[in-house]
Amino acid sequence: MDAILTYIVNVVSLGGTYALLALGLAVVFSVLGLINFAHGELMTLAGYALLAGILLGVPFWAAVLAAVLVGGVAAVIMETTAFRPVRNANPATLLMTSFAVAMLLQVIFQNFISARGQAVPVPSLFTGSIAIGNAQVSIIQAISIVVSLLSLIALKVFFDRSRSGWAIRAAADDFETLRLMGFRASRLIAIAFLISGLLAGIAGVLWVMQRGSVDPLMGLKPVLAAFVVVVIGGLGSISGAVLGGYLLAAIEIALQTWLPEGLAPYRDSLTFVLVIAVLSLFPNGLFGKRVAEKV
Amino acid sequence: MNHSHHRRVTGALVAIAAGTLLLAACGSSGSSDSAASSDAAPAGESCTVKVGVATGQTGGLAYVDVPSLEGFDIWVDEVNAAGGIDGKFRVETIVKDTRSDAAQSATVAAELLGEGISFLITPGDADPSIAAGQLAQEAQVPAMSWFGSSPVLPVAVGDFMFSNAFGDNAQARVLANYATQQGYTTAYTLGSPDSAYTSNLPRYFKEAFTSNGGTVVGEGTYTMGQPNFNVIADEIKALNPAPDVIMTPAYEPDFPTFLKAIRGAGINTPVLGTDGIDSPTTLALGETAEGVVYTTAGVLANEGPMGEFFTKYNAKYGKDPEAIFAVTGYELGNVLNAAVTNAQSCDPVAIKDAITNLEGVQGITGTISFKGGDRMAIREIALIKVTGGERSLVEVVIVDPATVPAA
């Protein structure tokens, strides 16, 4: 029973972070058809902003808020400077641009901050654990569960209730028609990037609080995981990104928990085998639309 | 629309992969005709020692390679200001970035070997050093890793491959002996199959600790860069009997993550680490890292012979060195200095023979020898305890090679 409870806690905390990241990718994909590989660098940037805030001595909550905002603003700047000029080019160009932005930022972090990781002194209030039934849950895990769930709920409200949210969901279905109906593409794309950056900022803060350090390449692994999540969930599906996040976490944690130690080197390969299995049953992802091939 | 996006995205990814393979192939094809073309002046006559530096100035190994090169450059400036090694062998360095990637390390090494170098410096980790070292071996040019400490490195490459580091089997012996002295009889080890360093160190520790009469009660594995260590923490908590001590070669960013996870889960078992965590990041973890004990090349402190190095480093870079690797990088210069002095030549084979026979070369942290070893440096190992956010020295040990677990 404890093992199951512990498992669920681990899945929900990691899955929440994956869901936030994947949503960030999905929101941009729905308006631009672009998987933004520089998304991970927005996380890294938020991590450095959090560190800067702490070092400057501002209250922790203010540093967190600033870090999340930095993620959002940086995403909008990224869109206007890097992606807008190539917006109408083919998707491969956009993809290459996102790789270039990612590498550029990594090198900037390395050369202007440090190639080494920087410790982020999170207040000691956040180390320690609380008991839920017979299971111990670390405070940071509990925070990441609550924050990711709240963010997802807030986003759900935004998508259901606001005109922009509604428009982004519609864009995921058919952006061209939406534009014909009089929506300004630039505004919608900027909003999508802003949301995506804020989500990266939140995920970045949660990530750094768990890890205790921030380094120039920090965003690489999570963005790859988020990419897998988006593919499992179905490219362009927003609810798929959320469920995909929890599904990938469930697979990863199950393998970490129950895979015999001798098979440990195959853990990542097995994760991807399961992902391939899901995709061979659902070629468009779990929630992807079936699209008839145009001949 | 999405479908066609999807297809084009896939196409682009395939193109990237193909391009990368092609580049790698082009890079390594250059190696066959790159046999050392150093103009071998007769022994004793002045010549220029061309040193090729294949180093990770960017990427995951930059934390070792950047400070190492900074330290080495100080030595180069010094030695050339004095007219060269032994007053007549000037040193010229050619530096190329490997981006901390094994394939790129081989490409860069091939380019450097093509320029007729006498000596190759490889990154501070075994895997890229093996990739680069194999080409140097083929070209009969001696290669030395900044601080790759896996003893499989020289074995995998051959007699032209050296490392400026002590072996991981030696540092594991030091940790095991420390554990036994502290009265610990049970241990948990955490390693990762992702690198020679992280996979072999727990094995060496187990062998040494078992030979001392200790028992390893659990062995965990992680993936480098994994998001969190909560599952591992639960696994350690469930161990019966509970371990007296935890040993891991994990380094940043994994080490801080692991440490936060177990301390967060209320596990207060002492933790033993290895030289990869000798960085300001560990010290800056505050309360979490208090009491962590680890092995490294020396205590980085502005005093004694190292204080002199601090002054030189400050004069060139305007700051204090942050990692011991700046010191060991300079010491690699000391080793090259002794080898070329003994060889009285810029000929790669003569330099290699001289390195093999080096004994008691004076460095900053102590003396460095290769004679009688397995081409890993025989040098002092410092045992350090994190106390109040500072490094405090527990003891300095020179390990008897006979007691070291086999590579």
Side-chain angles (χ1 to χ4, degrees), chain B residues 236-237 243-246 262-271 288 290:
Chain B
I236 296 175
K237 270 212 294 209
D244 295 330
V245 67
I246 295 168
I262 59 167
R263 296 299 186 236
I267 300 168
N268 293 315
T269 314
V271 171
T288 314
E290 187 69 15

Side-chain angles (χ1 to χ4, degrees), chain B residues 39-109:
Chain B
D39 39 329
E45 252 173 60
S46 111
C47 51
T48 300
V49 184
K50 273 197 189 177
V51 178
V53 188
T55 175
Q57 294 301 290
T58 55
L61 287 174
Y63 81 99
V64 196
D65 290 7
V66 169
S68 296
L69 180 59
E70 285 174 351
F72 186 74
D73 277 339
I74 295 177
W75 171 79
V76 173
D77 290 351
E78 250 173 50
V79 81
N80 282 339
I85 296 172
D86 204 22
K88 54 188 170 184
F89 305 105
R90 294 188 65 80
V91 177
E92 180 195 327
T93 53
I94 313 167
V95 179
K96 295 197 175 189
D97 185 12
T98 64
R99 304 200 301 263
S100 301
D101 175 71
Q104 184 65 16
S105 301
T107 306
V108 161

Side-chain angles (χ1 to χ4, degrees), chain A residues 6 110 117 211 221 261 293, chain B residues 7 59 221 224 226 234 281:
Chain A
T6 311
Q110 281 179 343
R211 302 185 68 77
K221 285 239 171 176
E261 210 49 63
E293 179 114 19
Chain B
R7 238 183 0 184
T221 51
M224 283 166 113
Q226 84 181 31
D234 296 332
T281 313

Side-chain angles (χ1 to χ4, degrees), chain B residues 56-377:
Chain B
Q57 294 301 290
T58 55
L61 287 174
Y63 81 99
V64 196
D65 290 7
V66 169
S68 296
L69 180 59
E70 285 174 351
F72 186 74
D73 277 339
I74 295 177
W75 171 79
V76 173
D77 290 351
E78 250 173 50
V79 81
N80 282 339
I85 296 172
D86 204 22
K88 54 188 170 184
F89 305 105
R90 294 188 65 80
V91 177
E92 180 195 327
T93 53
I94 313 167
V95 179
K96 295 197 175 189
D97 185 12
T98 64
R99 304 200 301 263
S100 301
D101 175 71
Q104 184 65 16
S105 301
T107 306
V108 161
E111 286 169 15
L112 291 167
L113 290 164
E115 295 193 39
I117 53 172
S118 307
F119 184 73
L120 176 71
I121 297 175
T122 64
D125 182 49
D127 302 326
S129 289
I130 290 173
Q134 281 171 338
L135 300 174
Q137 177 75 30
E138 201 179 304
Q140 307 274 290
V141 172
M144 188 173 289
S145 162
W146 282 132
F147 212 77
S149 55
S150 175
V152 298
L153 164 60
V155 178
V157 175
D159 59 341
F160 279 80
M161 183 82 232
F162 301 85
S163 176
N164 184 37
F166 43 70
D168 287 337
N169 41 0
Q171 59 174 330
R173 168 49 77 189
V174 173
L175 289 172
N177 289 356
Y178 172 78
T180 305
Q181 280 161 23
Q182 296 297 305
Y184 306 144
T185 56
T186 52
Y188 172 88
T189 62
L190 176 70
S192 167
D194 296 351
S195 77
Y197 183 82
T198 50
S199 68
N200 290 333
L201 263 161
R203 184 164 68 75
Y204 300 139
F205 176 82
K206 184 181 183 181
E207 193 178 325
F209 190 58
T210 312
S211 80
N212 287 351
T215 314
V216 171
V217 293
E219 294 169 71
T221 51
Y222 67 97
T223 306
M224 283 166 113
Q226 84 181 31
N228 63 50
F229 285 77
N230 299 323
V231 174
I232 301 271
D234 296 332
E235 190 181 299
I236 296 175
K237 270 212 294 209
L239 283 175
N240 187 17
D244 295 330
V245 67
I246 295 168
M247 182 271 170
T248 179
Y251 51 94
E252 58 196 59
D254 302 308
F255 183 74
T257 316
F258 167 65
L259 204 57
K260 280 181 80 81
I262 59 167
R263 296 299 186 236
I267 300 168
N268 293 315
T269 314
V271 171
L272 302 179
T274 55
D275 68 302
I277 60 166
D278 187 17
S279 85
T281 313
T282 306
L283 301 176
L285 288 172
E287 194 56 32
T288 314
E290 187 69 15
V292 169
V293 171
Y294 63 89
T295 38
T296 185
V299 190
L300 189 69
N302 193 354
E303 56 192 35
M306 210 174 279
E308 210 175 297
F309 178 78
F310 266 63
T311 311
K312 292 175 192 169
Y313 187 95
N314 251 300
K316 188 167 167 79
Y317 303 107
K319 57 177 184 182
D320 279 346
E322 286 188 329
I324 193 71
F325 301 122
V327 176
T328 56
Y330 182 92
E331 289 179 327
L332 200 155
N334 295 141
V335 168
L336 182 62
N337 192 77
V340 173
T341 305
N342 291 354
Q344 285 294 308
S345 165
C346 302
D347 174 53
V349 177
I351 295 175
K352 169 240 157 193
D353 289 339
I355 299 172
T356 312
N357 288 310
L358 284 179
E359 214 173 349
V361 176
Q362 188 60 50
I364 298 171
T365 58
T367 60
I368 300 163
S369 305
F370 285 92
K371 194 179 172 117
D374 47 7
R375 297 191 300 286
M376 299 297 295

